Amino acid sequence: IDAAEPRGYGALQMAFEQLKKKLDEEGLFDPSTKQSIPFLPRKIGIVTSPTGAAIRDILNITERRFPSIHILIAPVRVQGVEAPPEICEAIGDMNAMGDIDVIIVTRGGGSLEDLFPFNDERVARAIHASRIPIISAVGHEIDFTIADFVADLRAPTPSAAAELVLPHRKELIERID
């Protein structure tokens, strides 16, 4: 026998549960540490693949809701072993800029293996250390990652993140009128 795993429970799922427990015990998921998302951000940072469906969905929705919003995209890999360091660096770079009001960390859906960069301890610690509020929008509604638990807000999809971060400009103008 080369390896043995509990039935129906793979090594990745086991690693996920162990890291989740560890970070929870350290207080990284504590609601009291969560930052509030600004009502009307002036500049949104997005950490994602520049070619994926997630960024297209977010850009389409932000264009409809608030076309004048300033968006900065930090292009990173969102899959594979190279992804976690790139995601961490992008979060750090956006914090260093100082003029970003909220960051969305995102990618579309995929298998547990595909989403695993967002279950990386380095990514979790980078999100927790961010001075800028972070919305995690990884995968689809049924997907949960460590990034979701440590982020200031979890969005069930990338599209939902765009809806959560921006009000409708038209509705605001109507309210003001």
Side-chain angles (χ1 to χ4, degrees), residues 2-170:
D2 291 325
E5 295 178 358
R7 184 175 179 180
Y9 201 76
L12 284 179
Q13 186 65 37
M14 190 177 298
F16 172 86
E17 294 298 336
Q18 289 171 342
L19 181 58
K20 183 179 170 193
K21 183 177 189 266
K22 174 186 173 184
L23 297 178
D24 188 29
E25 288 172 354
E26 289 182 29
L28 270 69
F29 305 159
D30 187 342
S32 69
T33 66
K34 307 289 184 193
Q35 302 177 72
S36 60
I37 306 303
F39 171 68
L40 186 57
R42 289 166 297 180
K43 190 173 190 180
I44 300 170
I46 303 175
V47 176
T48 194
S49 167
T51 59
I55 191 63
R56 288 192 304 274
D57 290 347
I58 289 173
L59 293 176
N60 284 336
I61 289 170
T62 56
E63 177 67 25
R64 280 197 318 263
R65 290 178 79 91
F66 217 97
S68 61
I69 193 70
H70 189 131
I71 294 175
L72 176 68
I73 301 169
V76 298
R77 291 176 228 202
V78 293
Q79 191 170 323
V81 296
E82 303 91 357
E86 290 182 13
I87 294 166
C88 294
E89 183 177 1
I91 292 169
D93 290 348
M94 287 191 171
N95 272 270
M97 293 179 76
D99 64 343
I100 295 173
D101 299 309
V102 65
I103 298 170
I104 300 172
V105 176
T106 190
R107 73 154 279 151
S111 68
L112 182 61
E113 292 83 3
D114 294 341
L115 302 180
F116 218 72
F118 300 92
N119 291 323
D120 188 280
E121 184 171 355
R122 295 167 292 179
V123 172
R125 294 193 185 282
I127 291 171
H128 189 261
S130 178
R131 293 183 321 276
I132 301 168
I134 293 185
I135 299 172
S136 175
V138 179
H140 298 300
E141 292 183 29
I142 61 169
D143 298 317
F144 281 90
T145 65
I146 297 295
D148 293 331
F149 294 108
V150 73
D152 299 297
L153 181 65
R154 176 195 180 258
T157 65
S159 298
E163 292 170 351
L164 289 169
V165 78
L166 284 174
H168 278 284
R169 183 173 187 254
K170 188 176 174 182

